[in-house]
Amino acid sequence: MAGIAPHWNEFETRDALAASLADVVAEVLRTAISRRGEAFLAVSGGSTPGRFFAALSREELDWGKVTVTLVDERFVPETSSRSNASLAKANLLQNAASAARFAPLFHEATTVEDGAHLADSALKTLPWPLDAAILGMGGDGHTASFFPDAQSLDVLLDPASTRIVMPVHAQTAGEPRLTLTLPALVNAGLVVIHIEGAEKRNVIEAALAAEEPLPIRTVIDRAPRAAEIYWAP
Ligand SMILES: O=C(O)C(O)[C@@H](O)[C@H](O)[C@H](O)COP(=O)(O)O
């Protein structure tokens, strides 16, 4: 199915992108706080969000009323250099944003399946829907932990899923992962795809043009509002 075409936001530099995206997300959080008394944000890990995290962490707003979670996580504790929780805490939950509440996806468990159940129950108590979901994208067209070679990708991408968090096994992912499901992500008030560099631009343009959708295309197509692509060279 072809969904609503995404909206492109292009910047000359990665710093300019980070500043603009931080302003937009801060405004979404302020609006949510004034409308419902709290705000709920999901962010990505990986190497791209660093500048955005630094800019957002300095935005003045009532961070004590904000809950931050992750769009996906590696099944590793926070002591691991691969932990997205540790990345978000070290870079986003700083400065003004240190007052925010953080809701992790990783929970100690023997298997990623058990860990996903624990995260699913914990996250069910949070104020859904998300006000904003900030996604990244890999060069293979994955977003969150929707890897093209993930086992049961159709279950992770099921628009009718009643799960919030699912375990992911994919050869290309490195370790097992935890991901928010498609409906948990695309029902966010604002869905952003933050990508940088010519290569990722080529990947997303090819995904939007192709008949056979990559996971990033499925997410864009299933979003009830136009996804916002933020890109800088
Ligand atoms: O934990 C992760 O790795 C992610 O959340 C993932 O979906 C990421 O956004 C992309 O892989 C892009 O990663 P880079 O920003 O490192 O290119």
Side-chain angles (χ1 to χ4, degrees):
M1 68 168 262
I4 304 170
H7 177 236
W8 283 82
N9 303 268
E10 300 185 28
F11 298 85
E12 284 183 8
T13 66
R14 296 177 179 195
D15 282 335
L17 185 161
S20 173
L21 181 55
D23 285 349
V24 166
V25 172
E27 199 48 35
V28 165
L29 299 179
R30 286 184 200 107
T31 304
I33 292 167
S34 63
R35 191 171 41 85
R36 61 170 174 149
E38 61 183 324
F40 188 21
L41 168 69
V43 297
S44 292
S47 56
T48 306
R51 288 179 183 80
F52 161 63
F53 284 169
L56 184 59
S57 75
R58 294 188 166 83
E59 293 277 354
E60 289 304 327
L61 59 101
D62 194 350
W63 281 103
K65 295 186 172 141
V66 178
T67 301
V68 177
T69 191
L70 296 163
V71 306
D72 72 331
E73 177 63 289
R74 297 96 191 260
F75 188 55
V76 295
E78 277 182 36
T79 47
S80 165
S81 61
R82 303 261 311 147
S83 164
N84 284 342
S86 132
L87 184 86
K89 284 186 176 176
N91 295 280
L92 173 56
L93 283 101
Q94 296 291 330
N95 307 313
S98 61
R101 170 167 70 140
F102 183 72
L105 298 191
F106 176 81
H107 291 74
E108 285 292 346
T110 314
T111 64
V112 67
E113 282 72 23
D114 290 347
H117 275 294
L118 292 172
D120 193 64
S121 303
L123 265 67
K124 279 207 163 103
T125 64
L126 298 181
W128 298 91
L130 289 163
D131 296 299
I134 315 301
L135 296 161
M137 186 194 74
D140 59 355
H142 85 263
T143 189
S145 282
F146 307 141
F147 288 83
D149 66 338
Q151 290 170 24
S152 309
L153 181 61
D154 53 331
V155 176
L156 305 177
L157 293 173
D158 177 2
S161 177
T162 54
R163 285 284 292 265
I164 293 174
V165 182
M166 290 285 285
V168 180
H169 296 276
Q171 200 98 52
T172 53
E175 62 279 281
R177 295 207 181 200
L178 301 150
T179 193
L180 297 191
T181 56
L182 180 93
L185 287 169
V186 300
N187 288 316
L190 172 69
V191 176
V192 168
I193 298 159
H194 175 188
I195 52 170
E196 297 178 344
E199 196 188 320
K200 286 192 181 180
R201 185 179 181 126
N202 291 340
V203 171
I204 205 164
E205 284 181 344
L208 290 169
E211 293 284 310
E212 199 60 47
L214 286 171
I216 187 68
R217 168 78 187 268
T218 309
V219 169
I220 290 170
D221 283 350
R222 287 289 179 181
R225 290 167 284 272
E228 299 286 336
I229 299 174
Y230 276 70
W231 180 83

